Amino acid sequence: MATFPYPPTDQGHGEVSWTDSQSTEIDGMIARYPQKRAAVMPVLWLAQDHFGWLSLDVIRLVAKTLELPPSHVLSVATFYTMFKKQPTGTHLLQVCHTLSCDLAGAEGLISRIENKLGIKVGETTADGKFSLQRVECLAACGSGPMMQVGTDYYELLKDDAAVDAVLDALASDNPPSLPRPEMDQWTYSRKS
Ligand code: FES
């Protein structure tokens, strides 16, 4: 099991650069804003999609691209939990533990995940499939307890059976369809 040290002990990717098509895409992002610096979040998102996580090498590349101090880009990346500052397992389980979810049973959800996967918060399973993090409010307060996995939300995880169904499906590389028809519940997926 690996923990999530910060700054990461693995400083990352070495020399990194954009492909031609990524450079074109970034130019399009920059063109949407009156100032180059305003594109920092979409460019970080593109970088994470491509490099897997935001090492200091990647942060420096984004900074150079947008003509910003690396410290500014790092401050944005470290503010948002959607940006990975260290390598994670294939499925990053980000469980909201803020008030509404806490009252709805977030600690039970975290315990169930820890017991089923044999890891604690901040760790990754030995097979590299799952990492677990606590995060603050993900704006699904009416349907807690909930977690974000990659770009998908899994909501109303109120009992072990619901949690197990999601974890088993993810482990078998056959994630539940979204929105989950059994829940009669709006569920968000960025890619849907
Ligand atoms: S409190 Fe959990 S999503 Fe808002």
Side-chain angles (χ1 to χ4, degrees):
M1 291 180 290
T3 55
F4 293 156
Y6 194 81
T9 51
D10 174 359
Q11 288 296 303
H13 295 84
E15 192 170 340
V16 285
S17 59
W18 306 116
T19 65
D20 288 345
S21 67
Q22 287 168 341
S23 294
T24 302
E25 191 174 350
I26 290 168
D27 288 344
M29 291 171 178
I30 292 170
R32 289 185 217 144
Y33 302 99
Q35 294 182 333
K36 214 172 189 179
R37 63 189 292 131
V40 65
M41 289 186 65
V43 175
L44 279 171
W45 192 250
L46 181 148
Q48 179 165 286
D49 263 357
H50 180 63
F51 296 110
W53 65 287
L54 301 174
S55 67
L56 297 180
D57 298 312
V58 175
I59 294 288
R60 287 189 203 99
L61 174 64
V62 172
K64 186 176 173 194
T65 303
L66 298 176
E67 299 174 345
L68 287 168
S71 58
H72 177 89
V73 178
L74 185 63
S75 72
V76 175
T78 51
F79 183 81
Y80 294 99
T81 51
M82 67 182 185
F83 293 128
K84 301 180 189 177
K85 277 71 68 177
Q86 61 281 313
T88 66
T90 306
H91 302 295
L92 175 58
L93 312 176
Q94 296 184 300
V95 180
C96 171
H97 67 166
T98 308
L99 182 60
S100 295
C101 286
D102 184 47
L103 293 173
E107 294 307 317
L109 169 56
I110 291 169
S111 294
R112 182 60 187 170
I113 294 170
E114 289 181 332
N115 291 335
K116 186 169 173 65
L117 298 182
I119 57 173
K120 296 292 184 190
V121 170
E123 295 180 342
T124 297
T125 54
D127 63 4
K129 274 213 162 179
F130 293 98
S131 299
L132 177 60
Q133 285 182 328
R134 289 173 179 266
V135 297
E136 302 301 335
C137 182
L138 292 169
C141 317
S143 51
M146 60 79 63
M147 65 178 173
Q148 181 172 0
V149 183
T151 57
D152 296 329
Y153 275 17
Y154 295 93
E155 304 170 51
L156 293 172
L157 299 172
K158 288 181 177 295
D159 54 42
D160 290 352
V163 181
D164 289 359
V166 173
L167 295 180
D168 291 344
L170 292 169
S172 66
D173 297 323
N174 183 28
S177 59
L178 295 171
R180 290 176 296 147
E182 77 279 15
M183 299 304 291
D184 186 25
Q185 172 66 32
W186 178 82
T187 300
Y188 173 74
S189 172
R190 184 176 70 96
K191 289 178 177 169
S192 65

